[in-house]
Amino acid sequence: MEKFTCDFCGKNSDEVEKIFSAEKSHICNECVETCSLVLHKSQLQKAKSEFQKGLSIPTKLKEHLDNYVIGQNEAKKVLSVALYSHYKRIDKPVHNNIEIEKSNILLVGPTGSGKTLLAKSLAKIMDVPFAVADATALTEAGYVGEDVESILSRLLASADFDLEKAQKGIIYIDEIDKIANKSESATSGRDVSGEGVQQGLLKILEGGDVYVPLKGSRKSSSAETVLFDTTHVLFICGGAFVGLVDDEDTKKKNKTKEMGFLTSKEVVASSKEIESKDLINFGLIPEFIGRIPVITTLNPLTIDDLVKVLTEPKNAIIKQYQALFELDGVDLEFSDDALQKIAEMADEKGVGARGLRGIIEKIMLPLQYELPAKENVQGCKITKDYIDGNSEVELIYLPKEKN
């Protein structure tokens, strides 16, 4: 048998699995795989570049958010426009001698409605560093807890300490309603995590130079710091603001409308829009609100929304579990009534989409433990009866081979 040598790497037929020949040219399977990988990476890079060219307009941004976040169409539109305007401002901070100010964003909505996911998805779209901070962990300077500068430290770390890249990132501050100034009703003592923290956040929200520790959450004389300019950092704040929308007037309005033939969705839509004065009454100081001009409200997710959250997004929980089971050679399926049951369980807990993973983890744990030890299982179907404990899980076995 004639032996050939690869014209690319010089290996002969004995050193590789296969050599492909065409007239006087020869190439081995290893070089084919290498070329295929290089071509694939090149195509991905080109597709990414072409995709990001169209991301500057709000409609494209919303389309991308639709792949990750269920419902909340109005909030997604507001965020898309805000992001579009923000990154235009970075390119042209001054136009025709007019300085364009930064528009930070406030998301108001119940737990599990998608506030954090929206912020995280925006950062993914723009391919910029992203950091999450919990406002309840922040304290006024000089007290035990985290300084506001620690938020910038996290963003810097997420950018692999590339200062220029970090200064164009996105920060999401959760539970912002928990730092509302309620010291007037307090019996005694200073409002360590209330107005003091709001005052501390003012400078970084507006945009300015801040000395940020490279490691750790607190500055000290021995800590290495870097001068961080927050001018182009987009801040998105989120909070439930319980009781802010459901005031007496709104309750009366909703009660009246519920006596007709409106659906629950229409009742939700009848709630008033949140204004700056409402936030001031809640306990946020005017200076703080003035630095967050974009305010949008998220609605609670319905049971139908929760079912969609389970199955439709690109990184849906059900898709993740199906991928895990696929690695064991098992096709995982959920019946429609099972998905409905899981959504109802999350709705009863009142935690929105955030509670879905915990519920599914509990359902799937016994199967994840037992199935890898079973032989010839090719399919597994989760039903409502199985979730309710009224039946065993439905397993599909490979047909037995005939001797």
Side-chain angles (χ1 to χ4, degrees):
M1 183 177 177
E2 187 178 358
K3 290 187 177 181
F4 298 106
T5 301
C6 177
D7 295 327
F8 284 79
C9 65
K11 293 181 180 179
N12 61 43
S13 306
D14 296 331
E15 296 175 289
V16 295
E17 187 176 327
K18 189 173 181 63
I19 287 185
F20 302 91
S21 302
E23 296 182 353
K24 295 182 179 181
S25 300
H26 312 287
I27 183 171
C28 69
N29 65 292
E30 293 178 359
C31 289
V32 169
E33 290 170 2
T34 302
C35 291
S36 176
L37 185 61
V38 170
L39 182 61
H40 181 61
K41 285 183 177 179
S42 174
Q43 288 172 337
L44 283 177
Q45 194 60 41
K46 183 180 178 183
K48 183 179 178 182
S49 299
E50 289 297 320
F51 176 61
Q52 290 187 336
K53 280 180 186 176
L55 276 181
S56 57
I57 59 174
T59 51
K60 290 290 183 183
L61 289 169
K62 183 184 176 296
E63 283 176 16
H64 195 75
L65 284 175
D66 288 338
N67 291 326
Y68 294 94
V69 183
I70 296 299
Q72 312 299 3
N73 284 320
E74 193 60 35
K76 284 189 280 194
K77 287 178 184 177
V78 171
L79 285 169
S80 298
V81 170
L83 192 71
Y84 174 58
S85 300
H86 177 71
Y87 283 98
K88 272 201 301 184
R89 173 185 171 275
I90 290 178
D91 292 334
K92 284 278 186 182
V94 178
H95 184 64
N96 291 337
N97 295 320
I98 298 172
E99 186 176 348
I100 304 171
E101 294 183 352
K102 181 164 60 168
S103 294
N104 296 311
I105 304 162
L106 175 63
L107 301 177
V108 178
T111 299
S113 57
K115 298 186 295 293
T116 308
L117 182 58
L118 276 169
K120 192 179 293 184
S121 300
L122 286 175
K124 187 180 293 184
I125 292 169
M126 301 308 298
D127 191 25
V128 295
F130 178 72
V132 178
D134 192 327
T136 57
L138 302 174
T139 57
E140 191 177 343
Y143 288 82
V144 176
E146 292 190 45
D147 288 332
V148 293
E149 289 87 352
S150 65
I151 301 173
L152 301 177
S153 295
R154 292 181 189 178
L155 187 62
L156 192 58
S158 73
D160 293 325
F161 298 96
D162 182 333
L163 182 61
E164 185 178 350
K165 191 176 180 182
Q167 289 176 157
K168 294 180 181 178
I170 295 176
I171 289 176
Y172 177 68
I173 307 177
D174 199 10
E175 306 267 28
I176 204 72
D177 53 321
K178 301 299 191 298
I179 62 167
N181 179 19
K182 297 172 183 176
S183 57
E184 291 179 6
S185 61
T187 54
S188 63
R190 294 190 62 184
D191 188 21
V192 174
S193 60
E195 184 176 341
V197 175
Q198 292 184 55
Q199 294 284 359
L201 286 168
L202 293 182
K203 186 177 181 180
I204 68 171
L205 287 173
E206 186 174 27
D209 293 330
V210 182
Y211 282 100
V212 176
L214 286 175
K215 294 181 180 178
S217 61
R218 282 200 167 270
K219 290 186 290 185
S220 66
S221 57
S222 60
E224 185 182 355
T225 59
V226 63
L227 193 61
F228 195 115
D229 182 6
T230 65
T231 302
H232 297 318
V233 174
L234 180 65
F235 287 88
I236 302 175
C237 300
F241 291 90
V242 176
L244 184 62
V245 177
D246 298 328
D247 58 15
E248 291 304 314
D249 292 338
T250 307
K251 285 178 182 177
K252 288 176 184 177
K253 183 194 295 185
N254 287 350
K255 187 175 180 181
T256 302
K257 291 196 174 184
E258 282 179 320
M259 292 174 71
F261 296 94
L262 291 179
T263 64
S264 58
K265 287 186 179 180
E266 289 170 312
V267 172
V268 169
S270 72
S271 298
K272 69 172 185 178
E273 290 185 10
I274 293 173
E275 299 177 359
S276 298
K277 63 180 182 181
D278 300 316
L279 296 169
I280 293 171
N281 291 335
F282 192 84
L284 296 181
I285 60 176
E287 299 90 337
F288 185 82
I289 297 167
R291 287 161 176 79
I292 312 177
V294 180
I295 303 171
T296 185
T297 305
L298 280 70
N299 293 321
L301 295 178
T302 65
I303 291 175
D304 287 343
D305 289 334
L306 291 170
V307 171
K308 291 176 181 176
V309 169
L310 285 169
T311 57
E312 291 187 7
K314 284 188 174 181
N315 58 343
I317 307 170
I318 297 298
K319 291 178 182 177
Q320 292 179 39
Y321 272 94
Q322 287 173 331
L324 282 172
F325 273 62
E326 219 171 79
L327 294 173
D328 284 326
V330 178
D331 291 326
L332 178 64
E333 182 185 350
F334 284 77
S335 66
D336 291 340
D337 59 357
L339 295 173
Q340 183 78 10
K341 175 66 178 179
I342 294 168
E344 288 171 358
M345 290 167 72
D347 186 62
E348 286 171 11
K349 289 177 180 285
V351 290
R354 187 167 285 143
L356 291 172
R357 180 172 287 277
I359 293 168
I360 294 180
E361 288 274 2
K362 190 174 180 180
I363 293 168
M364 301 306 295
L365 180 61
L367 297 173
Q368 288 178 292
Y369 177 75
E370 295 170 7
L371 281 187
K374 292 183 179 289
E375 295 183 0
N376 301 322
V377 175
Q378 69 170 7
C380 172
K381 186 174 182 178
I382 308 297
T383 62
K384 179 179 181 295
D385 284 339
Y386 173 71
I387 295 172
D388 289 334
N390 297 327
S391 70
E392 295 293 322
V393 68
E394 293 183 14
L395 298 179
I396 302 166
Y397 290 89
L398 289 166
K400 292 182 179 179
E401 294 184 5
K402 295 180 180 180
N403 295 328

